[in-house]
Amino acid sequence: MPQTVFAPWNDPDEKPLISFQGVTKRFGDFTAIDDITLGIYAREFFALLGPSGCGKTTLMRMLGGFETPSAGTILLAGQDIAPVPPNKRAVNMMFQSYALFPHLSVWDNIAFGLRREGRDKAAIAARVEEMLKLTRLEKFSHRKPHQISGGQRQRVALARSLAKAPKLLLLDEPLGALDRKLREETQFELMDIQEKTGTTFVIVTHDQEEAMTVASRVAVMDEGRLIQVATPDRIYETPDSVYVADFIGDVNIIEASARQSGDKVSLAWAEGQLPLIATTTKTFAPDQHCWLAIRPEKIAISAERPKAANALQGRILDIAYLGNISTYHVALPSGQVLKAQTANTRRIERRSFTWEDEVWISWTDTAGVLLDK
Amino acid sequence: MRRLSWFNVTSLTLGLAFLYLPMVVLVIYSFNASKLVTVWAGFSTRWYGELLHNEAFLDAAWVTLKVAVVSSTMATVLGTMAAYVLVRAGRFYGRTLFSGMIYAPLVMPEVITGLSLLLLFIGIGLDRGIFTIILAHTTFSMCYVSVVVSSRLVSFDRALEEAALDLGCTPFAAFRLVTLPIIAPAVIAGWLLAFTLSLDDLVIASFAAGPSATTLPIKIYSAVRLGVSPEINALSTIMIAIVTIGVITASLLTKRAAVRRNAEEHAADRA
Ligand SMILES: Nc1ncnc2c1ncn2[C@@H]1O[C@H](COP(=O)(O)OP(=O)(O)O)[C@@H](O)[C@H]1O
Ligand SMILES: [Mg+2]
């Protein structure tokens, strides 16, 4: 373990910078945010992840001051922010549409917030130059927003929201409009900037890879509720519900009924099949309904019967070749199809399995996660 | 360019002739050297010269200009505010009634608007003069301004105002620094429209005007009843020129702003 792990959420002495306490937001009789309680710590890069319409933007807009909670309180640095109007909050937002002022140059867009603070000219100029340099926009400072590319516009929006050095920066799907390569570059740029400036970032995204790449912690949302809040690796390795396991990455879900002895659980999953073995820290009642979630890359595929805790025989139904990896869809006698993934370390013509081959798939008792919901 | 068929050319010519022949005749006769309006006696600008020495006409022209400038400015402020509320405030109680009431004067017969204003002025004991004409013109032209401005505001990205608030603007500063500069072409077009409407209004002005002040259209109308004079032709030609310039500028402004907005949106799509 490195000595300086950034994990304030594990430290009981740390106070969160933002704290949602039982926050609910209703539009008419529709509940967009449903009783959310959440702490976000200073210097965090916090990602809100969820399908479209689950309330991510609404949550952000409440932080920015553009919506007021119907119930509950939001504290920023220990202070209730409900009575504070947007222009008085130490929070800046980067809008989903960038919302650059079309009648102002890049320079004036970035200087806009600084001018409102009434700083003197030299200080404003220095800060704008600093921001231009940080976002590598020096050459475009005199252009209007419609005279620069989408990626540059996105950086202007970022520079503008960073210029006032807010305590908290809100980014609403900031990279949605960029193509894949530019998006990946910009993600690293964002992390770099976050580290340099020490600002707390809250980013909204519906792209799970993006959330995993940039975030210190990820909150998975669904229909206005928080489903799970954890670090990217915990979310991926130990999801606490089928919804999260399914939402993040590829996964096999096997429904079964449990029979626990100590930390080992034997799973009756199909008529006339040997039970599967899994390890868990949870407790399951006898015959409790449960789900075993296993990532495809944790399932091995072989021609001979391997010596693993769980081994099943099946037939290859389909092969998805993705370049670096291949995913085999294996049909079991029970009719269920499981996905197994292998890295393509050899050239494709020397691949050992092909369609309709009878194969064994196997995994250890610790490879999967046993879920009760 | 597509070639026009004979039928299209004919309809176009007929339509344009119908619209503009009377005005063309008027403009031509304003350059007539003869005192007799219907007899052509060669080209001359003498009537334009005479006009400069006609005190009554000059007074009326001055009143008309003052009324047009003041009333269109007031109408622009009020109309823009009304449009802003209608587009921005969302669904407030009585919104439909409010918007209906703002647009009703567009279709209300002018005689009725004029008459009701007259009754109001008498009712509150306001002496009719330049001030009442200004009030009357503000009333009927502000709905035109509000139509022009609200059609621009509908396509205005609300996030721009929120961004301004987010960066520390008060709501009023956000309007002044972000919204107004962006919708300025529509506001100016609205002003020009109100200006030209006020310039050539006869019906409402004749209800609101009193002995102390008359506008040019009223003056022309009453002069014509004593017989058409070439001087009036010259005066009318000048008014046609001013109105034409106003309308063309207003439509150019609106169109250019739309073209530029399109270009910006396309640039955004390409990115
Ligand atoms: N002003 C509003 N009035 C009514 N419903 C709204 C409003 N804003 C958002 N909603 C609804 O709230 C839900 C969550 O919206 P949003 O927060 O924008 O979702 P996300 O950003 O996660 O896609 C959606 O179903 C949306 O229709
Ligand atoms: Mg959204």
Side-chain angles (χ1 to χ4, degrees), chain A residues 275-343:
Chain A
L276 300 172
I277 306 295
T279 315
T280 187
T281 51
K282 300 193 189 80
T283 1
F284 288 87
D287 293 328
Q288 185 181 340
H289 200 75
C290 62
W291 292 266
L292 180 67
I294 326 152
R295 302 280 177 199
E297 72 273 14
K298 303 229 162 52
I299 298 186
I301 185 163
S302 56
E304 304 295 326
R305 189 191 167 113
K307 275 203 207 117
N310 301 292
L312 299 169
Q313 201 170 19
R315 186 170 47 81
I316 294 180
L317 205 61
D318 219 342
I319 304 171
Y321 174 69
L322 299 175
N324 52 345
I325 51 171
S326 288
T327 306
Y328 296 86
H329 295 238
V330 178
L332 305 177
S334 64
Q336 201 168 9
V337 178
L338 293 188
K339 282 177 269 185
Q341 218 164 51
T342 56

Side-chain angles (χ1 to χ4, degrees), chain B residues 109-237:
Chain B
E110 289 191 332
V111 185
I112 295 180
T113 314
L115 185 62
S116 45
L117 281 164
L118 176 64
L119 290 177
L120 175 73
F121 294 147
I122 294 173
I124 60 175
L126 208 57
D127 271 344
R128 277 173 294 149
I130 186 163
F131 182 61
T132 48
I133 307 176
I134 288 174
L135 281 186
H137 279 184
T138 307
T139 308
F140 94 96
S141 56
M142 92 166 241
C143 57
Y144 290 87
V145 176
S146 140
V147 169
V148 173
V149 173
S150 65
S151 70
R152 173 64 186 97
L153 275 175
V154 170
S155 63
F156 183 87
D157 183 4
R158 186 90 202 254
L160 291 176
E161 272 169 19
E162 290 181 342
L165 291 178
D166 190 65
L167 293 166
C169 280
T170 58
F172 177 69
F175 178 79
R176 192 171 54 86
L177 295 170
V178 174
T179 316
L180 199 55
I182 297 172
I183 64 165
V187 174
I188 296 171
W191 186 88
L192 281 167
L193 192 62
F195 181 80
T196 52
L197 282 171
S198 162
L199 213 56
D200 65 8
D201 165 71
L202 170 66
V203 179
I204 291 176
S206 49
F207 279 100
S212 66
T214 29
T215 65
L216 214 42
I218 299 177
K219 200 83 203 160
I220 294 174
Y221 185 70
S222 47
V224 165
R225 287 162 58 156
L226 307 172
V228 183
S229 77
E231 236 176 321
I232 301 229
N233 287 348
L235 184 57
S236 308
T237 304

Side-chain angles (χ1 to χ4, degrees), chain A residues 27-28 30-33 50-59 61 67 96 172-173 204 206 221:
Chain A
F27 294 108
F30 175 77
T31 306
I33 296 291
S52 190
C54 71
K56 307 181 295 288
T57 298
T58 307
L59 202 64
R61 290 174 60 82
E67 308 280 0
Q96 200 162 0
D172 193 353
E173 303 205 20
V204 161
H206 60 240
M221 289 181 68

Side-chain angles (χ1 to χ4, degrees), chain A residues 200-231:
Chain A
T200 309
F201 279 29
V202 177
I203 187 172
V204 161
T205 173
H206 60 240
D207 176 353
Q208 46 120 345
E209 263 180 56
E210 185 167 298
M212 306 286 279
T213 310
V214 299
S216 59
R217 275 193 311 158
V218 178
V220 181
M221 289 181 68
D222 187 35
E223 297 185 346
R225 291 164 189 279
L226 285 180
I227 307 294
Q228 189 175 4
V229 183
T231 56

